[in-house]
Amino acid sequence: MTGADSEIIDELLQHALDIQHLGPSEASPDSRLSTDDLLDVVRHRDLFEALYDSALDRRDLEDRLGVSRATSHRFTRWLEDEAYAERVDGRYHLTGEGEVVAEAVLQFERKIRTADRLAPLLDVICEEHRDFVVEPFENATVTVATPSDPYAPVTRFLTLLRGCERFRGFNTTHMIPPGLADLYGDPFADCEVELISPSDVVGTLQDSENDRIRRRLRDDHLKLRTREALPYGLALFDDRVGIGGYDEETGAMRVFVDTDAPIARAWGERVYETFKQNSTPVRADASRERREER
């Protein structure tokens, strides 16, 4: 991850925290924009988008937007009246204010579109979604459990896991129901694994009678860490990051969202390291000691 990537991730995480604590606008009613003013800006989305990359003359605007001369004149007059653009040498340039408004409009549309795509995940992590940064997952693959294919998210997870050389994650144990793990064989057979899980889950793994799990714990290919408060499931593969959302009552995975977008991967790395720093490593010989105590 480059320094620039790190700065972007820091900004995204800070923005998510700011939104969480900011709540509704604290501006006085008199200083807030009216709904009509906000709608006016959104209605001119295509106009802002056309001018965002480069200045255009009126004819270029007409061609780009597919509008009449009268409509382009109305558009440019509105831009100048609002001080969002100015005419220089026959071409319209966004002002500094206009560029900021254009960015806000484009980001607003992208966030709404992304929220719609991620709705199945956001619905099941509703209590934690303000800590989840949606923008990096704009083009993610969304796999949802359905009555005809209740294990679709699990299958997607196992497909990505196959051939993975290093896997890290937190709150991921529900991603592989015991029966399916047996059906697919050892999903971590060729993989170095580090998991952060609640203490009861770690205890279950330590006490497992499954020879594969016991062997992997013993040869240090499976490293466990424990922490109580965990949100959604985070899965870090070699080159992808995935988020799992679970059914509150059954614990079954209802949706799995994954992407190979570099910024999403960087976000996942940063979140995982944050949780890891606030977790406790479990000694490799702890499982033997637990059995001896019993």
Side-chain angles (χ1 to χ4, degrees):
M1 182 170 62
T2 67
D5 289 336
S6 179
E7 290 178 5
I8 292 172
I9 296 303
D10 286 340
E11 185 175 342
L12 284 171
L13 291 174
Q14 187 59 53
H15 176 70
L17 291 173
D18 289 344
I19 291 298
Q20 180 179 0
H21 296 294
L22 184 62
S25 174
E26 297 178 359
S28 65
D30 292 340
S31 65
R32 296 189 65 185
L33 291 176
S34 70
T35 301
D36 287 341
D37 287 340
L38 289 172
L39 289 175
D40 225 10
V41 170
V42 174
R43 288 192 188 102
H44 290 89
R45 175 197 61 186
D46 293 341
L47 179 60
F48 281 113
E49 186 174 8
L51 292 174
Y52 188 70
D53 290 329
S54 62
L56 300 171
D57 61 27
R58 187 171 286 133
R59 179 166 293 183
D60 288 335
L61 275 175
E62 292 167 9
D63 292 342
R64 181 77 64 87
L65 301 178
V67 298
S68 66
R69 183 177 180 181
T71 299
S72 71
H73 181 72
R74 187 173 71 251
F75 281 174
T76 54
R77 187 174 64 237
W78 177 81
L79 284 170
E80 291 181 301
D81 288 346
E82 298 295 332
Y84 292 148
E86 56 186 2
R87 188 179 181 185
V88 179
D89 297 330
R91 298 196 301 169
Y92 290 89
H93 300 249
L94 290 176
T95 62
E97 180 184 3
E99 287 187 0
V100 172
V101 172
E103 290 169 356
V105 172
L106 299 179
Q107 290 172 4
F108 174 74
E109 180 194 5
R110 292 178 67 176
K111 190 154 189 175
I112 294 296
R113 187 173 63 242
T114 303
D116 185 61
R117 279 180 48 79
L118 299 181
L121 176 66
L122 298 176
D123 286 345
V124 295
I125 64 170
C126 56
E127 292 184 0
E128 294 89 8
H129 80 276
R130 289 184 178 180
D131 293 324
F132 174 63
V133 182
V134 302
E135 287 86 353
F137 292 84
E138 178 182 3
N139 297 310
T141 299
V142 181
T143 308
V144 181
T146 63
S148 60
D149 192 358
Y151 293 121
V154 177
T155 301
R156 175 65 179 173
F157 171 77
L158 290 171
T159 299
L160 295 177
L161 189 59
R162 189 175 295 119
C164 182
E165 295 182 359
R166 185 188 184 202
F167 177 82
R168 289 161 296 154
F170 60 66
N171 210 14
T172 57
T173 52
H174 300 321
M175 291 183 180
I176 314 177
L180 283 186
D182 294 337
L183 179 65
Y184 277 81
D186 185 357
F188 298 114
D190 303 312
C191 191
E192 296 290 334
V193 182
E194 183 176 74
L195 301 178
I196 305 173
S197 299
S199 56
D200 58 338
V201 174
V202 169
T204 299
L205 290 172
Q206 290 176 313
D207 292 339
S208 173
E209 297 300 325
N210 187 309
D211 289 337
R212 288 181 306 204
I213 292 178
R214 292 169 61 181
R215 184 169 61 253
R216 292 184 65 79
L217 284 169
R218 189 170 58 249
D219 63 18
D220 212 27
H221 283 295
L222 173 57
K223 297 179 180 178
L224 299 177
R225 304 183 70 92
T226 183
R227 173 190 164 113
E228 291 313 312
L230 290 166
Y232 41 78
L234 174 69
L236 288 170
F237 306 93
D238 291 336
D239 56 1
R240 298 185 76 86
V241 57
I243 304 293
Y246 306 109
D247 184 282
E248 240 180 58
E249 296 182 0
T250 66
M253 185 159 61
R254 288 176 50 184
V255 56
F256 188 72
V257 172
D258 66 271
T259 179
D260 62 354
I263 193 169
R265 172 73 185 190
W267 171 84
E269 293 270 3
R270 181 64 57 85
V271 172
Y272 180 80
E273 287 303 318
T274 299
F275 276 81
K276 180 177 177 178
Q277 289 171 11
N278 293 283
S279 66
T280 303
V282 177
R283 299 196 324 273
D285 59 352
S287 58
R288 184 177 67 253
E289 292 178 3
R290 288 169 63 92
R291 287 194 178 85
E292 289 174 352
E293 290 175 358
R294 295 163 58 188

